[in-house]
Amino acid sequence: MKKIFYLMGISALFLVTSCNNDEIPQSSVPEAKKTYLPTIQGNLGKFIETTTRAGVVEENDDPVGNGENFYWSNEDQVKLLFYKDGILENDPIEIIYQAVVEGNEKPNRCEFVPVDAAEGLEEGSYTVYGLYPASGWTLGNVTGPDGELLSGEFYKATMVSIAPIENEESSSYLTPNIFMKAKATDVVIGDEGSSTPISLQYKQLGGILRIHLRNENQPLFPKLSEFQIAKVANGGEGGLIPEDLKPFFNTQGYLQNIDDEALTPATYWQISTVTIDMHENVSTEFDFFIPILATDPFEGDDVLYLRAIYVNSENEEMDPAFLRIFPSTNSVLQNGFKAGKSYYFNLTGWS
């Protein structure tokens, strides 16, 4: 990441005329307002009270005992909203910032600088909000459960598709769906207030499912080609029957108020099943992660249904392996998946 410097050129046009040797006073030209682009210090939000304690990096050998690490990467981008004088009724000034991370460092705190061509801020006091990732947040209309647009515009976080999982030590594929929010008040912008970075403490607005798959009970040389996780009614008897599928995963959430501490699910955009297509070189024992937004508790006979599809050495599809998790015996499902938490599934001995 390159340091960004904001330069503003100021030009003035002076008009001098004379008439009959009488000097005419020169028109005064208002001085251009000086603007500023402060740096940001971003502190990463931790996953709290979790099965895996924190984070989404596959390199930790003991995710249950030690948690996992979630860190900033170079050029991670955040969207900053600056409200002059803290007046939230006015439109904010939006500026995109990106992280500056040197080499192979994995920091949970780092400096952010504005991207090229960012416009400056006038001197004054601001309330500042940070939304991560910048590309995941938009301001616009939200569709209600009945399909009608809600009144007003909202900042909304929208999940996007994740590319097939490759067998590599990287969490980069998670970035578009790890939603966080931060706030700082009484931020002074100006000559005296711009030398110290604005400190923003981010809070996790979503959760993580970590799935550990092992293939020890399958025939020789099977390859996992597809993995599904779904919410199924009536115990899921007989497999994933379309009429048994129920809305479960929220693909969009929004802030009803910019000061909200949690996303409101846009239930119109719920889906019942998440399908992961595996990379062709994936190993037979590995972990992968599914970023999620908060869900409602499970009810009645609804089950969490996990289904793995393997192909043999001839690339022929084998009988799927599946697992049903019942809320009657699982406290997590009784409460639903929560924001700020990560959940670990160690799947062995498939049916």
Side-chain angles (χ1 to χ4, degrees), residues 28-46:
S28 62
V29 178
E31 182 181 353
K33 291 183 178 180
K34 189 175 182 180
T35 60
Y36 303 84
L37 274 171
T39 57
I40 302 294
Q41 180 175 281
N43 301 298
L44 200 67
K46 296 289 186 181

Side-chain angles (χ1 to χ4, degrees), residues 298-304 325-334:
F298 279 56
E299 299 176 349
D301 294 327
D302 295 347
V303 300
L304 186 67
I325 303 177
F326 294 85
S328 58
T329 58
N330 188 286
S331 60
V332 169
L333 300 187
Q334 292 171 9

Side-chain angles (χ1 to χ4, degrees), residues 213-277:
L213 288 171
R214 204 156 58 219
N215 194 30
E216 59 188 5
N217 293 331
Q218 294 292 343
L220 295 177
F221 310 117
K223 181 176 68 176
L224 182 62
S225 63
E226 186 178 285
F227 181 84
Q228 297 174 325
I229 180 169
K231 185 177 184 179
V232 183
N234 304 316
E237 295 291 347
L240 287 175
I241 302 172
E243 54 265 29
D244 281 345
L245 296 176
K246 301 190 69 174
F248 171 49
F249 288 104
N250 295 303
T251 60
Q252 187 179 97
Y254 63 98
L255 299 170
Q256 288 185 322
N257 184 289
I258 193 62
D259 274 325
D260 283 352
E261 293 296 312
L263 288 167
T264 298
T267 54
Y268 183 78
W269 298 107
Q270 283 182 333
I271 58 176
S272 59
T273 305
V274 169
T275 300
I276 306 293
D277 293 319

